[in-house]
Amino acid sequence: MTTLTHADWEKRAQDLKIEGRAFINGEYTHASSSATFDCISPVDGRLLAHVASCDAADAQRAVDSARATFNSGVWSRLAPVKRKAVMIRFAALIRENMEELALLETLDMGKPIGDSYGIDIPGSAQALSWNGEAIDKIYDEVAATPHDQLGLVTREPIGVVAAIVPWNFPLLMASWKLGPALSSGNSVILKPSEKSPLTAIRVAQLAVEAGIPAGVLNVLPGYGHTVGKALALHMDVDTVVFTGSTKIAKQLLIYSGESNMKRVWLEAGGKSPNIVFADAPDLQAAADSAASAIAFNQGEVCTAGSRLLVERSIKDTFLPMVIEALKAWKPGNPLDPATNVGALVDTQQMNTVLSYIESGHADGAKLVAGGKRIMQETGGTYVEPTIFDGVTNAMKIAQEEIFGPVLSVLTFDSAEEAIQIANDTPYGLAAAVWTADLSKAHLTAKALRAGSVWVNQYDGGDMTAPFGGFKQSGNGRDKSLHAFDKYTELKATWIKL
């Protein structure tokens, strides 16, 4: 937890020097076109930087650099134990620069400084070091063969990886991909969201300082329809890894088919059900968790508990507890360490969230908390955490990912009905179950079509647990040793002795 005050952070923000150029072949560089876009802070509308707006020409420069470096073997054929040491140094440099990186993250996308400093940046460092530590402990295989044959099953780095990452946890989501991709020996081109490019640009220099060779990590800020599309269609990119919306995830699959059938690994949207049975062991804990599951990070979380399913017999008791718990989540200045709800990432996203609130009203849901834009005088983009009661699963606010602090409350009468409602969505990223009945917990968890299921908690797990979705929430897994599957090719070598 930071010991700096609001005034301390404001002073650091005034003194901060922000880099906005791309990073290609080990150095900062302007976009080939010299084009830039304005990076505006959602905190108060201030201009943070003019950021390089990369396009297809820059994608070509980065791919050429990444491919040449990969083929040289300077990183791809380096002993795993040596790559491990560099990755650990990379993580250490992120920790050493935590204040600067946390400040960039908060100014860039609006999240509270306490979260940037206490969660995002330490988590990013951990993702790099955890994967680095793992790489010299992953063994290949020897097949069961006749005495005069030798069958080897080995993993090799896949080559050039394009990582397209989101704006809600900019450095953390990038690090979930950089950790296994770099540790495996690949060259990576990181394309941060145009809404939050600053930490990605900054850590590129830290990577080189840590000992990662020039060309192994390149960073291309810019728009998805320009540089993102160019990477996805490039014939010399071997795989694309992506976290973002389901709409863009589907487009990336099309681009793969139109180009070189590159591997495409996707972590897309979610509409996660948080199921509270009448026999939940601690209703207050469940209520507190329901509030934090929708308000944390302003609801801009792919696993946000945006559908609260409550057993009808306890609804009149439980819902007031949730409403009361949500009062502790109040939007405020993100540079104030006391703030736990910051600004939405930009005006576009704020208007999207407000349009969903209007949709809830239009469809007949009952607003019981929040529902308004606030703090307009700051020039920032703030919306109150919001609860709608009387929601049916057919309503737009119950079916579509809002990516904001809007909670839909639904009721059920049996475990079977709860499961039916929970699974009645295109998504399958996460779910939670609250019950004191061990059998009910196991059977419900097994029946839920979701990549992560939490019991008597929300958002559990650490780097050892794989993370990813079922259905239109994507494929493949971030975190854990399973993540290495996305960044390696499996080769069988059969030798006659």
Side-chain angles (χ1 to χ4, degrees):
M1 181 176 179
T2 177
T3 59
L4 298 178
T5 66
H6 185 184
D8 293 333
W9 285 112
E10 291 284 4
K11 179 64 168 59
R12 280 164 168 75
Q14 293 171 11
D15 297 338
L16 187 63
K17 292 180 173 58
I18 297 176
E19 177 61 70
R21 290 175 294 174
F23 194 84
I24 300 174
N25 200 32
E27 60 185 13
Y28 287 112
T29 176
H30 294 288
S32 296
S33 66
S34 298
T36 63
F37 61 88
D38 290 346
C39 183
I40 304 295
S41 175
V43 173
D44 53 15
R46 76 182 77 174
L47 174 66
L48 295 173
H50 300 292
V51 176
S53 185
C54 295
D55 58 19
D58 304 297
Q60 186 63 55
R61 292 164 61 199
V63 172
D64 287 346
S65 173
R67 177 60 66 190
T69 307
F70 181 80
N71 288 345
S72 76
V74 64
W75 182 253
S76 59
R77 292 194 291 272
L78 190 67
V81 69
K82 293 185 178 180
R83 288 202 301 268
K84 175 181 76 171
V86 174
M87 293 300 293
I88 292 172
R89 284 199 296 272
F90 188 12
L93 285 171
I94 285 180
R95 293 187 181 97
E96 290 174 17
N97 291 272
M98 195 151 65
E99 285 186 6
E100 178 192 1
L101 293 169
L103 186 56
L104 285 171
E105 209 77 301
T106 288
L107 290 171
D108 205 6
M109 70 78 56
K111 68 174 61 200
I113 191 66
D115 290 347
S116 295
Y117 188 84
I119 298 172
D120 287 52
I121 308 307
S124 301
Q126 184 192 21
L128 297 176
S129 61
W130 191 91
N131 283 281
E133 283 281 7
I135 195 61
D136 67 343
K137 302 169 185 66
I138 299 175
Y139 286 73
D140 292 325
E141 305 168 30
V142 177
T145 59
H147 77 281
D148 59 346
Q149 305 281 337
L150 177 62
L152 304 178
V153 182
T154 54
R155 289 188 178 275
E156 300 178 359
I158 197 167
V160 175
V161 175
I164 302 174
V165 297
W167 48 259
N168 58 332
F169 294 91
L171 187 57
L172 184 58
M173 294 298 96
S175 297
W176 282 10
K177 301 182 191 313
L178 292 178
L182 292 173
S183 297
S184 298
N186 297 287
S187 293
V188 180
I189 302 166
L190 178 62
K191 191 276 177 196
S193 170
E194 67 277 6
K195 298 177 189 286
S196 59
L198 299 183
T199 49
I201 293 171
R202 176 67 182 100
V203 299
Q205 181 63 48
L206 297 181
V208 171
E209 291 178 22
I212 293 177
V216 171
L217 175 59
N218 304 275
V219 178
L220 299 182
Y223 293 97
H225 64 272
T226 53
V227 69
K229 180 179 180 180
L231 290 170
L233 285 169
H234 202 288
M235 296 296 289
D236 207 21
V237 171
D238 297 299
T239 191
V240 168
V241 290
F242 170 79
T243 296
S245 72
T246 295
K247 177 182 177 181
I248 301 303
K250 291 180 178 181
Q251 188 62 54
L252 292 174
L253 290 170
I254 293 171
Y255 290 155
S256 172
E258 289 178 346
S259 55
N260 59 340
M261 290 179 59
K262 57 178 62 67
R263 314 294 193 270
V264 179
W265 300 104
L266 308 166
E267 193 268 280
K271 197 68 183 176
S272 301
N274 188 10
I275 304 169
V276 181
F277 286 101
D279 66 347
D282 186 337
L283 284 181
Q284 188 59 59
D288 293 342
S289 182
S292 64
I294 195 60
F296 171 68
N297 209 54
Q298 305 73 245
E300 297 167 321
V301 185
C302 54
T303 57
S306 54
R307 291 187 298 152
L308 179 61
L309 279 57
V310 183
E311 192 160 3
R312 193 180 306 275
S313 63
I314 63 165
K315 192 279 192 73
D316 291 343
T317 299
F318 185 67
L319 181 54
M321 297 170 68
V322 178
I323 295 171
E324 184 64 27
L326 195 65
K327 293 178 181 178
W329 294 84
K330 299 177 180 179
N333 189 311
L335 291 175
D336 185 346
T339 295
N340 61 4
V341 180
L344 295 173
V345 71
D346 62 8
T347 300
Q348 179 184 28
Q349 183 61 23
M350 179 186 68
N351 290 337
T352 295
V353 171
L354 292 173
S355 73
Y356 275 107
I357 292 173
E358 292 174 6
S359 173
H361 286 297
D363 287 346
K366 180 183 178 182
L367 181 70
V368 295
K372 299 188 298 295
R373 180 184 181 186
I374 59 173
M375 299 172 60
Q376 296 186 48
E377 71 282 0
T378 67
T381 48
Y382 301 88
V383 172
E384 295 175 309
T386 299
I387 301 177
F388 279 103
D389 189 18
V391 178
T392 68
N393 215 41
M395 291 182 182
K396 186 177 181 180
I397 59 173
Q399 281 294 308
E400 297 184 11
E401 185 177 43
I402 298 173
F403 231 62
V406 182
L407 177 63
S408 296
V409 180
L410 304 93
T411 55
F412 63 89
D413 292 300
S414 66
E416 292 74 20
E417 184 183 10
I419 292 165
Q420 187 277 322
I421 295 171
N423 287 337
D424 182 20
T425 170
Y427 302 110
L429 192 56
V433 179
W434 296 79
T435 177
D437 186 323
L438 185 62
S439 294
K440 186 191 295 182
H442 276 291
L443 291 172
T444 304
K446 289 177 69 173
L448 291 169
R449 301 289 295 162
S452 297
V453 179
W454 305 301
V455 177
N456 294 332
Q457 61 180 321
Y458 203 89
D459 200 20
D462 57 20
M463 279 301 300
T464 65
F467 179 83
F470 288 17
K471 299 189 287 185
Q472 293 186 46
S473 288
N475 58 10
R477 294 296 182 265
D478 286 322
K479 303 199 306 178
S480 83
L481 295 179
H482 295 280
F484 286 96
D485 294 342
K486 300 191 295 187
Y487 304 102
T488 54
E489 291 279 25
L490 207 59
K491 176 178 286 184
T493 304
W494 206 263
I495 303 169
K496 181 174 175 57
L497 301 178

